[in-house]
Amino acid sequence: GENLLLDIPLTHQEIADMIGASRQTVSSAISDLRKRGLIDMENHRIQVHDPDELVNMINELKQAAQHHAAAS
């Protein structure tokens, strides 16, 4: 599989501010992605090990959120 290297000089707080989330939420999400083996992050460099799987996961989360919103 292909790897993707993102060299992004942003802190967890800056990412949180950009997406309207808390720093804790961003840190938890990054930690979860690391545990799943999808990414590594060191010195503001994010190594995406399986970009296709990451996109699939994001799409599944979006569908679940849309389904939840429609059910409300």
Side-chain angles (χ1 to χ4, degrees):
E2 65 180 270
N3 280 348
L4 178 64
L5 180 63
L6 305 172
D7 194 358
I8 303 174
L10 297 172
T11 65
H12 290 187
Q13 184 63 59
E14 289 168 328
I15 294 168
D17 292 344
M18 290 173 65
I19 64 172
S22 70
R23 184 202 54 77
Q24 182 178 2
T25 297
V26 170
S27 296
S28 294
I30 289 171
S31 177
D32 184 53
L33 293 172
R34 289 172 103 163
K35 288 177 187 171
R36 292 171 185 245
L38 292 174
I39 69 166
D40 282 317
M41 186 171 180
E42 187 176 340
N43 297 328
H44 304 292
R45 296 170 68 114
I46 301 172
Q47 181 79 38
V48 181
H49 298 296
D50 191 343
D52 291 336
E53 181 59 30
L54 185 59
V55 169
N56 289 340
M57 190 177 104
I58 291 167
N59 287 334
E60 288 174 11
L61 291 170
K62 285 164 67 173
Q63 286 177 347
Q66 289 169 352
H67 178 73
H68 180 73
S72 299

